[in-house]
Amino acid sequence: MGVADDKTISAGSSAANAEEELAPGTRVGEYVVEHKLGEGGFGAVYRATHPLIGKTAAVKVLNREFSSNHEMVSRFIAEARAVNQIRHRNIIDIFAFGQLPDGRQYYIMELLEGLPFDAHLARVGRMDLASALPIFRGIARALDAAHKSGIVHRDLKPENVYLVPNEDGGHSAKLLDFGIAKLLPNSKGGESGHHKTRTGTQMGTPYYMSPEQCRGIGVDHRTDIYALGVMVQRVLTGTMPFDGESVMDVMMKHITMPPPKLSVYGFPAALDEPLTRMMAKEPDDRPATASEAIEALQKASSLAGFDAGSLPPITAISGAPAQASTAIGTTDLGMSAAQPAPRRSSAPLILAVVALIGVGAGGLVLLR
């Protein structure tokens, strides 16, 4: 059984009050609303167009109750600031911010055509290394750019990655939801531009949280590298490395248990070391950068003579230590934390980035 099938721990998990929708033709900044693309407990997202140049965009509007909540607005603004500080092609672009006449906060971002990574995984189950590597590289480049700017994402997971079809017939990755991103203390400007968290406060999604993140102390860029390792295992094997009856069970396993090796799932033993390093309990034992971690995985595969375009037989993972799961489901525009492995097929895919993007806080755990 996965982490409590309908239990999550998140900020503001109550159902949102009914909100007045933005009618087609409503002007938001320089853009005009066409129609609503999606909504959740924290807000709604609309498709909009610039009336003069015809550029399309997505308008993310925070619900009224959260627009009056200083903490939520702080995270909403922090996301826009973080994205614009990094400015990378593998990170969604946010280019305007403001407030509606009724007090609701909004920002305007690029509109992507494609599908959420978790929705893709729900459809395919797992991916071969050859297909997954370009996606991993894009995510790694985005993380490295964020880390170079002194920003830690802290909620890396498939729901926060969007796949955009590219000219090669594959997918390019776009990293989303910097709502709980942290500006490292030694970065330019310190933490003054971002929401501050107290020592001992856990933030993230339990399935993907590093040991130090579970403890709420010592979080830096290496936390994102750990989460990338979790994602690699999920993508290649169809399983999460750690599962449990409760969120605390999962978090304790991240802290105390070694992750299962890829060889347990039928992959060559040479691939064990790169993933084990990514998910090392001690941050100092992990690769220095996300790109270094992914290149080590590819190099090990090549040296082992492994056909990266193949998958081990499904019977090879039947006895794996973690229960098989399909994708972590998209809910509430990406706001829910720790969604369980679905027991049945997912809902129809929404081919717009806003079906995934979290409004404000991202997948969030606050245990005080």
Side-chain angles (χ1 to χ4, degrees):
M1 182 177 180
V3 174
D5 284 349
D6 4 53
K7 295 178 183 177
T8 62
I9 46 178
S10 61
S13 58
S14 61
N17 296 327
E19 294 284 328
E20 181 180 352
E21 293 189 8
L22 300 184
T26 301
R27 183 177 287 271
V28 180
E30 296 183 343
Y31 286 77
V32 176
V33 169
E34 293 184 351
H35 57 82
K36 185 166 68 176
L37 289 165
E39 65 179 324
F42 289 80
V45 189
Y46 299 83
R47 180 186 176 96
T49 304
H50 194 289
L52 295 180
I53 63 176
K55 179 179 180 179
T56 58
V59 179
K60 180 158 67 174
V61 181
L62 191 62
N63 279 349
R64 188 176 287 103
E65 68 171 296
F66 299 115
S67 290
S68 60
N69 181 309
H70 176 74
E71 182 179 359
M72 293 297 295
V73 173
S74 174
R75 291 198 172 100
F76 196 65
I77 296 172
E79 180 174 6
R81 285 178 173 170
V83 165
N84 277 280
Q85 182 168 327
I86 303 165
R87 299 194 65 82
H88 190 270
R89 64 182 181 181
N90 290 111
I91 296 175
I92 191 169
D93 186 23
I94 298 174
F95 44 84
F97 181 90
Q99 189 175 40
L100 298 176
D102 63 9
R104 284 181 288 176
Q105 304 283 339
Y106 73 84
Y107 59 63
I108 302 174
M109 57 197 169
E110 85 180 283
L111 180 66
L112 304 177
E113 298 297 332
L115 75 165
F117 194 14
D118 67 311
H120 177 69
L121 292 173
R123 186 167 63 183
V124 302
R126 56 190 180 132
M127 298 175 65
D128 60 69
L129 186 57
S131 300
L133 273 173
I135 298 172
F136 292 152
R137 286 197 199 96
I139 296 169
R141 291 186 188 117
L143 290 175
D144 288 346
H147 299 161
K148 187 175 180 180
S149 296
I151 294 171
V152 184
H153 189 282
R154 296 200 292 177
D155 197 25
L156 181 66
K157 54 186 176 181
E159 296 96 316
N160 288 339
V161 175
Y162 211 79
L163 302 184
V164 180
N166 59 34
E167 55 196 19
D168 298 324
H171 294 95
S172 297
K174 284 275 190 176
L175 185 56
L176 318 172
D177 201 348
F178 280 79
I180 64 169
K182 179 181 180 181
L183 189 62
L184 297 176
N186 61 350
S187 305
K188 183 178 180 181
E191 287 194 79
S192 60
H194 288 255
H195 178 79
K196 297 180 181 179
T197 57
R198 299 193 303 269
T199 298
T201 299
Q202 295 92 343
M203 303 186 70
T205 301
Y207 278 136
Y208 293 87
M209 286 169 66
S210 67
E212 64 272 18
Q213 199 173 11
C214 292
R215 294 192 299 265
I217 55 175
V219 173
D220 62 19
H221 72 282
R222 294 167 295 186
T223 279
D224 288 342
I225 294 173
Y226 183 96
L228 182 59
V230 176
M231 187 184 296
V232 167
Q233 177 168 321
R234 162 64 191 94
V235 171
L236 298 183
T237 71
T239 72
M240 301 303 301
F242 301 118
D243 203 350
E245 295 296 319
S246 69
V247 166
M248 192 56 64
D249 284 346
V250 175
M251 294 172 73
M252 287 305 298
K253 288 178 181 179
H254 280 299
I255 294 171
T256 63
M257 291 181 60
K261 298 179 183 296
L262 281 177
S263 56
V264 173
Y265 302 88
F267 289 87
L271 273 64
D272 288 339
E273 197 271 342
L275 185 60
T276 299
R277 281 195 66 206
M278 293 174 73
M279 295 183 64
K281 300 302 180 188
E282 294 297 328
D284 287 344
D285 295 333
R286 296 172 203 154
T289 68
S291 292
E292 177 185 318
I294 296 306
E295 292 309 312
L297 184 67
Q298 181 183 17
K299 183 177 180 180
S301 174
S302 299
L303 291 175
F306 176 63
D307 181 1
S310 66
L311 283 168
I314 193 69
T315 53
I317 66 170
S318 60
Q323 290 188 354
S325 68
T326 52
I328 308 301
T330 55
T331 60
D332 195 25
L333 298 180
M335 285 301 305
S336 291
Q339 289 300 309
R343 298 298 191 268
R344 52 186 177 272
S345 60
S346 63
L349 305 181
I350 301 175
L351 300 183
V353 65
V354 294
L356 176 65
I357 298 171
V359 179
L364 176 63
V365 177
L366 293 176
L367 302 179
R368 290 182 166 87

